[in-house]
Amino acid sequence: MSFLTFTFSLGLLAAILSSVPFVTRSSESFGINVGTKLSGAKQILKWKRQYAFLMGLLAIALFLVSFIFSWFSSLLLFYTACSFGIYLVYHFRTKTFKKQQIAEGNLQEQAMVIVEASGSQHQWVISGWYYLIPFLFFLLTVFLTIIFYEQAPAKLPAYWKLNGIFETEKVKTPFSASIWPGSQPLAILTFLGLHATIQKSKRIIDQDDPDISLERMKRSRRLYSKIMFGASLLTVLFFGFLQCSFLLDWSSSIVQVVSRLLWLLLPVCLLWMTFFIGQGGSRLKVMGIRRERKIVQKDDRYWKLGIFYFNRSDSALFVEKRFGIGWTVNLGRPIVWIILFVVLALAGIKQFFFS
């Protein structure tokens, strides 16, 4: 990893992690369900600002350290680990603060269920049939590979770095020529799985403003599904571009330019999702009346450390995170462990055969 890549990665990571407390759903703070009324308390806001300040300060410190020690990957891992430790400090502080508010009568917990039956969740996301488009590009890539295989160079680049530079070459064989076309359906299946996660994940509705939060959820999930489709199409097109560049022996400078443009576009999309959509659409502007009740859902016990969801009685496989952007799995369902094992096994098989 180069110094420039490290600096860019550290800056992006710091920007996203520092903003998490402010883009998470308004009723949740550091993995604790505090309700929208308590989330506006001076103490909670103070802790959020402190967390953001510490994350930024730590990033600056590690950036300065990188001038002395060029352990770039280790420094990024250290930053991630420290961010989790800092989060835990404020997680337990918020948990204690909530208990105090309940003891003083400023907040109440109650097990409640809010049911919304205004339509199918299929209407909340774009149709899965859109993924036929990247699949057609996969078939086109396979067709071009068959047509131009004989005239392709005797050696094909096999190891691609993020900046578009190739360091390893393999002798041209049908197997080595199938590396990038073979990656296309895997990418399609990955994003199609994310699409299904968005569609099937549990709906979490703020009890203070159920109508507003429901509308935000609908809008955000449709936006997320569009982004997933766009990312799948872009990935498949990029793999197809790499394959054509090998088969037709295009200039390496073209590959480098396109690669760098791609890796600049992805962080921009990630930042846009974070700051303009937020978790569950928390950053979207939706008109409505907020009541700010004193009663919140009694479900903190299912969230271990505010991050890991474990609820055997919940049929949902996927739920939105309480701290951060995206989704997590219900570790209380045995099928989740089976899925994780299969995914890791497939990743290991791919690494073994294509490394």
Side-chain angles (χ1 to χ4, degrees), residues 207-225:
Q207 296 174 16
D208 292 341
D209 50 359
D211 295 334
I212 297 176
S213 64
L214 182 62
E215 182 61 28
R216 282 175 171 165
M217 188 183 304
K218 289 181 179 179
R219 293 186 188 180
S220 64
R221 291 196 179 188
R222 190 160 186 85
L223 286 172
Y224 283 138
S225 67

Side-chain angles (χ1 to χ4, degrees), residues 109 120 126 135 228 297:
E109 282 189 316
S120 171
I126 63 173
F135 183 76
M228 291 302 103
Q297 181 74 10

Side-chain angles (χ1 to χ4, degrees), residues 179-217:
I179 293 178
W180 296 116
S183 299
Q184 289 178 310
L186 291 178
I188 295 173
L189 290 175
T190 298
F191 286 104
L192 193 57
L194 294 174
H195 175 88
T197 298
I198 296 172
Q199 178 179 317
K200 299 295 185 180
S201 63
K202 182 179 180 179
R203 290 172 287 182
I204 301 177
I205 302 175
D206 293 340
Q207 296 174 16
D208 292 341
D209 50 359
D211 295 334
I212 297 176
S213 64
L214 182 62
E215 182 61 28
R216 282 175 171 165
M217 188 183 304

Side-chain angles (χ1 to χ4, degrees), residues 55-165:
M55 295 304 300
L57 186 64
L58 179 61
I60 294 174
L62 293 182
F63 173 73
L64 297 176
V65 169
S66 67
F67 284 98
I68 304 174
F69 304 103
S70 57
W71 305 329
F72 300 137
S73 298
S74 299
L75 290 175
L76 288 176
L77 290 175
F78 180 76
Y79 181 78
T80 304
C82 287
S83 69
F84 181 66
I86 295 173
Y87 157 79
L88 287 180
V89 171
Y90 290 102
H91 168 75
F92 289 114
R93 287 184 180 181
T94 305
K95 188 174 183 180
T96 301
F97 181 69
K98 179 180 178 179
K99 289 182 178 178
Q100 293 174 350
Q101 296 300 311
I102 293 176
E104 295 173 2
N106 298 324
L107 192 68
Q108 299 176 15
E109 282 189 316
Q110 182 176 337
M112 293 183 291
V113 178
I114 297 180
V115 179
E116 192 279 325
S118 60
S120 171
Q121 291 192 58
H122 291 279
Q123 301 174 358
W124 294 19
V125 297
I126 63 173
S127 173
W129 291 104
Y130 277 94
Y131 284 85
L132 284 176
I133 298 175
F135 183 76
L136 292 176
F137 280 107
F138 157 65
L139 295 179
L140 177 61
T141 304
V142 173
F143 175 75
L144 293 176
T145 301
I146 296 173
I147 294 297
F148 295 103
Y149 175 78
E150 294 298 332
Q151 71 180 59
K155 289 187 177 181
L156 298 177
Y159 181 75
W160 170 70
K161 299 177 67 175
L162 299 184
N163 57 7
I165 298 176

Side-chain angles (χ1 to χ4, degrees), residues 125-331:
V125 297
I126 63 173
S127 173
W129 291 104
Y130 277 94
Y131 284 85
L132 284 176
I133 298 175
F135 183 76
L136 292 176
F137 280 107
F138 157 65
L139 295 179
L140 177 61
T141 304
V142 173
F143 175 75
L144 293 176
T145 301
I146 296 173
I147 294 297
F148 295 103
Y149 175 78
E150 294 298 332
Q151 71 180 59
K155 289 187 177 181
L156 298 177
Y159 181 75
W160 170 70
K161 299 177 67 175
L162 299 184
N163 57 7
I165 298 176
F166 296 89
E167 295 183 341
T168 306
E169 289 184 329
K170 285 188 176 183
V171 177
K172 183 182 69 174
T173 64
F175 183 81
S176 63
S178 66
I179 293 178
W180 296 116
S183 299
Q184 289 178 310
L186 291 178
I188 295 173
L189 290 175
T190 298
F191 286 104
L192 193 57
L194 294 174
H195 175 88
T197 298
I198 296 172
Q199 178 179 317
K200 299 295 185 180
S201 63
K202 182 179 180 179
R203 290 172 287 182
I204 301 177
I205 302 175
D206 293 340
Q207 296 174 16
D208 292 341
D209 50 359
D211 295 334
I212 297 176
S213 64
L214 182 62
E215 182 61 28
R216 282 175 171 165
M217 188 183 304
K218 289 181 179 179
R219 293 186 188 180
S220 64
R221 291 196 179 188
R222 190 160 186 85
L223 286 172
Y224 283 138
S225 67
K226 290 180 179 179
I227 292 172
M228 291 302 103
F229 167 72
S232 70
L233 182 60
L234 186 63
T235 303
V236 169
L237 288 174
F238 180 68
F239 286 158
F241 164 78
L242 290 178
Q243 184 72 354
C244 290
S245 69
F246 306 152
L247 296 173
L248 304 178
D249 198 18
W250 290 347
S251 171
S252 60
S253 60
I254 297 177
V255 178
Q256 294 179 29
V257 169
V258 174
S259 300
R260 290 168 181 172
L261 288 176
L262 174 67
W263 290 108
L264 284 175
L265 176 62
L266 292 179
V268 170
C269 292
L270 185 58
L271 290 173
W272 182 79
M273 290 170 60
T274 301
F275 292 102
F276 292 95
I277 300 180
Q279 180 67 320
S282 62
R283 307 289 292 182
L284 298 176
K285 302 298 182 182
V286 177
M287 300 300 294
I289 301 175
R290 173 168 291 171
R291 290 177 280 274
E292 295 191 344
R293 299 171 179 171
K294 293 170 58 176
I295 300 176
V296 297
Q297 181 74 10
K298 188 177 182 180
D299 59 354
D300 286 340
R301 66 185 183 276
Y302 300 125
W303 288 91
K304 313 304 179 184
L305 301 179
I307 295 178
F308 307 104
Y309 186 68
F310 191 96
N311 186 358
R312 291 191 178 95
S313 60
D314 191 347
S315 60
L317 294 179
F318 305 99
V319 294
E320 291 185 354
K321 293 181 179 179
R322 275 204 167 179
F323 188 78
I325 304 297
W327 288 263
T328 187
V329 294
N330 181 5
L331 296 174

